[in-house]
Amino acid sequence: MAEGSRKFIKLKIKAQDDTILHFKVNPSTIMKDIFMSYSSKKQMMNYKVFRFFFDGKRLSPKKTVNELGLKNGDEIDAMIHQDGGGSACNY
Amino acid sequence: MGALTCSSRKRGDDFFTSNYRTPLSVSSNVDHISKKPRFSPSMNQIQGDPLSRKSIAARIFKYPSNITPIKREIHAPCRRLRSGSNLNSHKMGNFLTQQYDRAKRSAFETLRYVKKDKEVINIDDDEICEEGVSEDSSVKELGSGVDAKRGLASGSGQRWKESNGVVETMDNPDGVKDVDKNFQVLSPSVVTVSDGVNLKVENAEKMLDTLSLSSNFDSAYSSSSVPPYKKLLGLAEKRNGNLKRLQFDIGYTEKVLETQHLLRPQKNEEYVKEDVITEPFVLLDEEEEAEVSRALSNSCRRKVLAKHENSNIDITGEILQCLSPGAWLNDEVINVYLELLKERERREPKKFLKCHFFNTFFYKKVSSMPSKSNLHFKVIQLLARLQYSCLISGKGGYNYQSVKRWTSQRKLGYCLFECDKIFVPIHKQVHWCLAVINKKEEKFQYLDSLGGRDQQVLKVLARYFIDEVKDKNGKDIDINSWKLEFVEDLPEQENGYVVREYLFLN
């Protein structure tokens, strides 16, 4: 069991409001699964409203944790999508 | 053999002549192997004599249905004797050649028929029989070339093949015509029996007769045989015309194919040439326009149209739709475009200034509160906006630590300090702006299509730049002399954020 637990990687996903959710994932987990569970925790139906970054680099949902080179304790930034126009804004 | 064909009044004579002739001919043919088989059918004919005694009307009535099948059956064995390859040719199933054979045979039969009407000739024929045998080759030459070949070919299969092959189909009509001529010559020559030519012709006809293996029913259409022969001849000629037409068609199509083959590579070359010409803006042709409209249609909303590997962004139709006029820009579009700009710069580093492009979330990150409060981020931003001084002091909306790792040299492949310009796209809730750290001209620029002036952004950026240089290069940089510039001369009220970016690069 000790070996099995060592295989898991602990990831943090930080929202824009600095709230952090902790995930314990298998290295072979596809990022999409992590994103989806995060979205469901945030009561979002679609994980695509979030953009996930690690050190400023966008994370592909199709790759696994291992492929992206994520290590134990890495912090992922979850940013909500941005929209903006020039013509209809009041700011 | 002529006995069957004679009319009723001459029947007795005919019978006599046939009887008389057969032994003679057999004796004359003893040394000639090829002629042996010919006479067995002739004997059969004599036996089948009673059949021919039916009334003419009945014979005519019977003609079409009866004759053809029986003829074939009887012919088969004799031909086999003459040439071994006969069977093969039939198996090959050359339908046309078979038809020609039949037509020819019927023509020959009619000929022989006419000859039989002239009994005198028959007698002469018998008398000259020996000569005929010796002159076989010459006689055959008089006849149609193909038939002569057939006669000679008794042993050799190759010749037979030739005669049965395509060459024969071409020659056949001529042969038939030749025979036709002979026939015309013959008809007046009833009286002039002694004419050598006629005799030879007779011999040839005799040969043909034996070759075609006259059937028992040959005599059945003694007087009425000419029309069917003509019919068949006409049919054959028609088919010949068809064949010629088909051959012409084939040749024509082949030529067309060749020309097409010739044309194709030329077209390809043209295409290549067109591809080589690279203009910055080329009008789309209809196909491409259709493709674009399809990509922007609702049916492709979920479909991934393009995948950008560097930024791990999939461009779907839905995202592309935000590029349509009046629509709001999506962060993904902007980020992909910035990545593309960066790639362009990497491709041609000498042509463009060295730039760095942060993604649209950088400013959000760097201006976020470092505190781990549970307040909603919007509330924090609201507070931050109200307290400018707090932001600059680092208490509020400035958090270098969160973006510290974004610009490591290992990640970027270059140092941020080397860059002439650093572009920071700024998202303001519903509006896109751009801030530029212009190291070359030592100023911070702020571009807002609405003419907004946000000091805070530039201050945050200035602070970030100081921290960044200190952290990565270990140097202190003095930015007090740097100007804060709010660029005014911008095309206002446009979604053309991206366009402006493009202009700035150049």
Side-chain angles (χ1 to χ4, degrees):
Chain A
M1 286 303 288
E3 253 183 43
S5 65
R6 233 180 276 158
K7 280 181 183 173
F8 284 108
I9 289 175
K10 280 183 184 174
L11 293 176
K12 291 183 277 182
I13 297 184
K14 192 181 184 183
Q16 276 168 299
D17 57 356
D18 287 347
T19 56
I20 293 177
L21 279 177
H22 295 268
F23 285 85
K24 213 160 80 173
V25 297
N26 209 308
S28 60
T29 312
I30 299 171
M31 293 309 289
K32 191 182 171 184
D33 296 341
I34 302 168
F35 297 164
M36 282 170 84
S37 68
Y38 177 80
S39 305
S40 63
K41 282 269 166 53
K42 288 281 174 185
Q43 280 121 35
M44 292 286 189
M45 295 304 290
N46 191 353
Y47 76 92
K48 285 184 179 174
V49 301
F50 291 107
R51 321 287 190 224
F52 295 93
F53 290 92
F54 177 67
D55 288 354
K57 188 135 170 57
R58 185 86 179 261
L59 296 178
S60 167
K62 286 173 188 169
K63 290 185 177 170
T64 63
V65 176
N66 230 1
E67 281 171 345
L68 290 168
L70 293 175
K71 289 161 202 151
N72 209 5
D74 278 345
E75 192 177 277
I76 295 170
D77 296 316
M79 311 294 279
I80 217 152
H81 73 101
Q82 297 168 324
D83 277 315
S87 54
C89 74
N90 304 316
Y91 187 75
Chain B
M1 54 198 249
L4 301 177
T5 63
C6 64
S7 58
S8 59
R9 62 181 166 85
K10 290 180 177 179
R11 198 193 145 268
D13 292 335
D14 230 20
F15 187 71
F16 171 74
T17 53
S18 65
N19 267 343
Y20 166 71
R21 195 181 50 173
T22 36
L24 197 149
S25 56
V26 166
S27 64
S28 69
N29 284 332
V30 168
D31 50 350
H32 202 285
I33 301 163
S34 67
K35 291 217 170 181
K36 263 194 175 177
R38 291 181 201 166
F39 291 92
S40 54
S42 71
M43 295 302 284
N44 286 336
Q45 281 170 8
I46 297 161
Q47 286 170 3
D49 205 34
L51 284 172
S52 65
R53 299 170 78 177
K54 287 176 185 174
S55 67
I56 293 170
R59 283 175 220 151
I60 293 166
F61 181 74
K62 271 195 170 184
Y63 157 64
S65 59
N66 279 340
I67 284 160
T68 41
I70 293 169
K71 231 195 275 173
R72 272 181 135 184
E73 281 173 10
I74 295 169
H75 284 227
C78 199
R79 278 204 171 169
R80 235 173 265 147
L81 281 171
R82 291 197 161 265
S83 62
S85 63
N86 186 17
L87 268 175
N88 290 335
S89 69
H90 275 284
K91 275 178 185 173
M92 280 166 71
N94 195 342
F95 178 74
L96 282 175
T97 52
Q98 283 180 11
Q99 293 284 326
Y100 277 122
D101 278 343
R102 210 179 296 163
K104 207 195 314 167
R105 229 174 281 141
S106 66
F108 292 154
E109 282 157 12
T110 55
L111 269 178
R112 186 203 51 198
Y113 220 6
V114 173
K115 184 181 69 185
K116 260 74 206 203
D117 280 341
K118 304 138 202 167
E119 294 162 22
V120 192
I121 294 169
N122 262 341
I123 297 163
D124 285 337
D125 190 20
D126 288 337
E127 288 172 359
I128 304 164
C129 205
E130 289 164 4
E131 281 181 21
V133 173
S134 63
E135 288 173 2
D136 252 357
S137 59
S138 63
V139 171
K140 281 164 195 166
E141 280 168 12
L142 281 175
S144 70
V146 177
D147 292 322
K149 268 186 187 172
R150 201 188 282 178
L152 282 171
S154 56
S156 64
Q158 279 188 348
R159 278 188 168 183
W160 177 242
K161 267 187 183 176
E162 281 176 18
S163 61
N164 257 352
V166 184
V167 185
E168 195 200 17
T169 58
M170 299 301 291
D171 291 341
N172 267 340
D174 297 335
V176 173
K177 278 174 189 172
D178 286 347
V179 176
D180 194 14
K181 283 175 193 169
N182 290 337
F183 160 67
Q184 283 171 353
V185 172
L186 266 176
S187 53
S189 71
V190 178
V191 185
T192 60
V193 182
S194 62
D195 195 338
V197 179
N198 276 339
L199 288 174
K200 279 185 178 178
V201 170
E202 281 167 18
N203 271 336
E205 282 164 4
K206 187 182 163 189
M207 292 292 295
L208 294 173
D209 228 349
T210 51
L211 285 170
S212 62
L213 303 173
S214 54
S215 65
N216 291 334
F217 289 97
D218 281 350
S219 57
Y221 41 101
S222 56
S223 59
S224 66
S225 61
V226 179
Y229 140 69
K230 277 189 177 176
K231 266 188 212 166
L232 286 166
L233 183 64
L235 276 174
E237 278 171 355
K238 269 183 193 171
R239 283 192 199 105
N240 199 31
N242 278 341
L243 261 180
K244 276 180 183 172
R245 193 165 48 79
L246 279 172
Q247 274 181 344
F248 173 75
D249 280 350
I250 289 165
Y252 177 72
T253 46
E254 277 175 357
K255 277 186 179 177
V256 166
L257 260 179
E258 279 178 8
T259 50
Q260 280 179 348
H261 277 299
L262 281 174
L263 281 174
R264 264 182 201 164
Q266 285 177 358
K267 276 183 182 175
N268 285 339
E269 282 170 13
E270 284 170 15
Y271 281 131
V272 169
K273 278 173 192 170
E274 281 174 6
D275 284 341
V276 168
I277 299 166
T278 51
E279 285 180 31
F281 297 103
V282 185
L283 277 178
L284 299 178
D285 59 20
E286 281 185 14
E287 262 184 45
E288 288 166 334
E289 271 185 7
E291 202 175 330
V292 167
S293 63
R294 186 153 33 83
L296 292 175
S297 68
N298 276 336
S299 60
C300 281
R301 278 174 70 89
R302 298 284 170 206
K303 196 177 159 193
V304 176
L305 298 170
K307 194 172 164 64
H308 194 258
E309 292 292 341
N310 255 3
S311 59
N312 291 321
I313 294 174
D314 296 339
I315 294 299
T316 62
E318 195 178 9
I319 292 166
L320 268 189
Q321 276 179 9
C322 74
L323 287 176
S324 54
W328 283 17
L329 284 175
N330 188 304
D331 59 302
E332 290 193 321
V333 171
I334 292 170
N335 286 333
V336 168
Y337 183 72
L338 294 177
E339 283 287 338
L340 292 175
L341 284 178
K342 185 65 199 168
E343 281 177 10
R344 185 185 69 164
E345 185 213 303
R346 277 203 193 106
R347 269 202 309 274
E348 301 169 82
K350 285 177 186 175
K351 199 173 169 184
F352 303 103
L353 292 172
K354 194 167 176 61
C355 300
H356 178 73
F357 302 92
F358 281 113
N359 66 33
T360 54
F361 297 98
F362 168 78
Y363 181 71
K364 182 132 276 174
K365 209 68 192 155
V366 78
S367 66
S368 66
M369 294 282 258
S371 65
K372 293 186 178 179
S373 64
N374 284 329
L375 288 171
H376 197 264
F377 70 96
K378 277 186 179 174
V379 178
I380 294 166
Q381 277 192 338
L382 195 67
L383 285 171
R385 218 175 287 142
L386 291 171
Q387 302 169 338
Y388 287 109
S389 56
C390 288
L391 293 172
I392 304 301
S393 65
K395 284 178 187 174
Y398 178 73
N399 189 357
Y400 177 70
Q401 290 303 315
S402 62
V403 294
K404 187 183 169 184
R405 295 176 65 183
W406 283 39
T407 52
S408 63
Q409 189 146 3
R410 184 178 56 84
K411 255 190 167 43
L412 298 177
Y414 53 87
C415 182
L416 201 66
F417 190 64
E418 300 165 6
C419 294
D420 297 317
K421 282 183 179 184
I422 299 161
F423 290 87
V424 186
I426 291 158
H427 180 241
K428 295 201 162 223
Q429 313 303 326
V430 289
H431 181 51
W432 290 105
C433 303
L434 176 70
V436 183
I437 302 171
N438 196 336
K439 185 174 154 279
K440 200 179 178 186
E441 296 172 28
E442 295 198 336
K443 57 187 175 187
F444 296 99
Q445 289 168 307
Y446 182 77
L447 300 90
D448 189 344
S449 60
L450 292 172
R453 291 163 168 262
D454 198 339
Q455 300 264 353
Q456 183 222 343
V457 171
L458 295 184
K459 279 173 185 167
V460 167
L461 284 184
R463 185 163 178 173
Y464 166 78
F465 194 61
I466 293 168
D467 285 344
E468 173 72 18
V469 172
K470 196 189 281 179
D471 185 60
K472 298 288 189 301
N473 299 80
K475 282 193 279 184
D476 282 327
I477 187 169
D478 184 22
I479 57 160
N480 286 332
S481 60
W482 289 34
K483 281 187 267 179
L484 303 184
E485 187 185 54
F486 298 96
V487 182
E488 300 287 345
D489 53 343
L490 295 170
E492 291 206 355
Q493 281 298 347
E494 274 189 30
N495 277 345
Y497 163 88
V498 176
V499 176
R500 237 170 296 135
E501 192 111 15
Y502 181 81
L503 289 174
F504 258 78
L505 258 185
N506 294 310

